[in-house]
DNA sequence: AACAACCTCAACCGCATCAGA
DNA sequence: GTCTGATGCGGTTGAGGTTGT
C-alpha cells in the first residue's frame, strides 16, 4: 500500500476534547456536512482522526441531544427493544429521539443488564452476550426470527405471560408501533 | 477526613460493511 | 471480481465524580 501524507497515530490528539476543538469541529460540520468525516478531520484543523470526529459529533455535539435523566418510559422502551433487537444499540437509539447509541449502551451495560438479570426476565436463550457481536448477527437474526416468526401474534404465543408484557406495544406512540410493525415484517421477509 | 466501592460517561479499538476505482 | 479507503457499529476501558463506611 502506498503511504499517504497524513498524521500518524503518534501525531493525533487523543483523550478528552477541548471546547476549542468542539468549536472547530462544529464549524467544519456546518461547512462540509456530517458525512465527509475524513474531509472534516483534515480541514477542521484538528489533530483528530475521522472516526474520533464522527464520534464526538454523534455523541456530544449533534443538535437535539438529550443528556442524562432517562425516564421510566424510555427505560421501559429500551428494555423491550433490547429484548426484540438484542445489542443493536444504534437501532434502539433510533427509536429514542435525542438519545445516542453510546448513551443507551452505557446505560444498559451497567443499569439495566443488572436490573434484568436480577429479575430474570431475559427470554430463554437470548442473553445479552449471545445477542451481542456482529459476528453473531446470523444467530441474532435467527433468534429474532424465532421469536417473531409468523408475526407478532404468534410471537406472543411463544413467550410466557411475563414476557408477553414486554412485547405489548399497545401503549406506545404511533411512530413506535409503525416501526415495530415494519421490523417484524422485515424479520419475516 | 480518608478511603473504598460504586457509578457515569467519554473515548478508543477492532471488526464488518459499503462504495468507488 | 478485487482492492482500498471510508464509515458505522458494538465492546471495552479508564478517568472522574459520588456515595457509603
Amino acid at each position: 500500500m502506498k503511504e499517504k501524507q497524513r498524521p500518524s497515530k503518534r501525531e493525533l490528539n487523543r483523550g478528552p476534547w477541548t471546547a476549542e476543538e468542539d468549536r472547530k469541529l462544529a464549524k467544519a460540520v456546518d461547512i462540509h456536512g456530517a458525512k465527509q468525516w475524513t474531509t472534516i478531520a483534515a480541514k477542521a484543523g484538528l489533530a483528530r482522526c475521522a472516526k474520533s470526529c464522527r464520534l464526538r459529533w454523534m455523541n456530544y455535539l449533534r443538535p437535539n441531544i438529550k443528556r442524562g435523566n432517562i425516564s421510566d418510559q424510555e427505560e421501559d422502551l429500551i428494555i423491550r427493544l433490547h429484548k426484540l433487537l438484542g445489542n443493536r444499540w444504534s437501532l434502539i437509539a433510533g427509536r429514542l429521539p435525542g438519545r445516542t447509541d453510546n448513551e443507551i449502551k452505557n446505560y444498559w451495560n451497567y443499569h439495566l443488564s443488572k436490573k434484568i438479570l436480577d429479575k430474570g426476565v431475559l427470554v430463554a436463550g437470548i442473553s445479552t452476550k449471545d445477542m451481542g457481536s456482529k459476528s453473531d448477527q446470523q444467530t441474532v437474526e435467527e433468534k429474532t426470527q424465532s421469536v417473531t416468526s409468523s408475526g407478532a401474534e404468534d410471537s406472543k404465543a411463544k413467550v410466557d405471560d411475563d414476557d408477553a408484557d414486554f412485547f405489548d406495544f399497545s401503549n406506545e406512540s404511533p411512530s413506535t408501533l409503525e416501526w415495530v410493525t415494519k421490523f417484524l415484517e422485515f424479520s419475516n421477509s
Side-chain angles (χ1 to χ4, degrees), chain A residues 78-91:
Chain A
I78 292 169
I79 292 170
R80 281 186 285 158
L81 287 171
H82 183 271
K83 205 160 198 180
L84 196 62
L85 302 170
N87 296 1
R88 316 267 273 270
W89 307 115
S90 58
L91 276 177

Side-chain angles (χ1 to χ4, degrees), chain A residues 86-146:
Chain A
N87 296 1
R88 316 267 273 270
W89 307 115
S90 58
L91 276 177
I92 295 172
R95 305 313 309 160
L96 291 155
R99 300 294 183 188
T100 69
D101 55 353
N102 210 28
E103 187 178 17
I104 291 169
K105 183 169 60 182
N106 283 333
Y107 188 73
W108 178 271
N109 280 342
Y110 196 78
H111 234 82
L112 296 180
S113 60
K114 222 176 171 185
K115 205 170 180 175
I116 286 194
L117 286 173
D118 285 349
K119 280 191 180 178
V121 295
L122 281 174
V123 177
I126 308 182
S127 71
T128 55
K129 276 283 174 197
D130 58 17
M131 292 291 281
S133 66
K134 255 193 224 170
S135 56
D136 288 339
Q137 194 110 320
Q138 179 70 29
T139 319
V140 172
E141 298 300 347
E142 282 165 5
K143 284 181 177 171
T144 309
Q145 182 121 13
S146 76

Side-chain angles (χ1 to χ4, degrees), chain A residues 48-91:
Chain A
R48 299 273 185 177
C49 66
K51 271 170 110 168
S52 185
C53 292
R54 178 186 162 273
L55 201 70
R56 183 63 179 173
W57 175 259
M58 299 300 275
N59 291 334
Y60 198 83
L61 296 175
R62 204 162 40 123
N64 307 322
I65 293 231
K66 274 192 223 166
R67 314 194 69 77
N69 296 327
I70 290 184
S71 67
D72 290 348
Q73 201 182 356
E74 284 176 311
E75 184 183 301
D76 182 57
L77 187 56
I78 292 169
I79 292 170
R80 281 186 285 158
L81 287 171
H82 183 271
K83 205 160 198 180
L84 196 62
L85 302 170
N87 296 1
R88 316 267 273 270
W89 307 115
S90 58
L91 276 177

Side-chain angles (χ1 to χ4, degrees), chain A residues 29-53:
Chain A
V29 169
D30 201 38
I31 294 167
H32 302 286
K35 257 308 181 190
Q36 315 262 333
W37 294 109
T38 40
T39 309
I40 290 167
K43 307 245 175 179
L46 298 163
R48 299 273 185 177
C49 66
K51 271 170 110 168
S52 185
C53 292

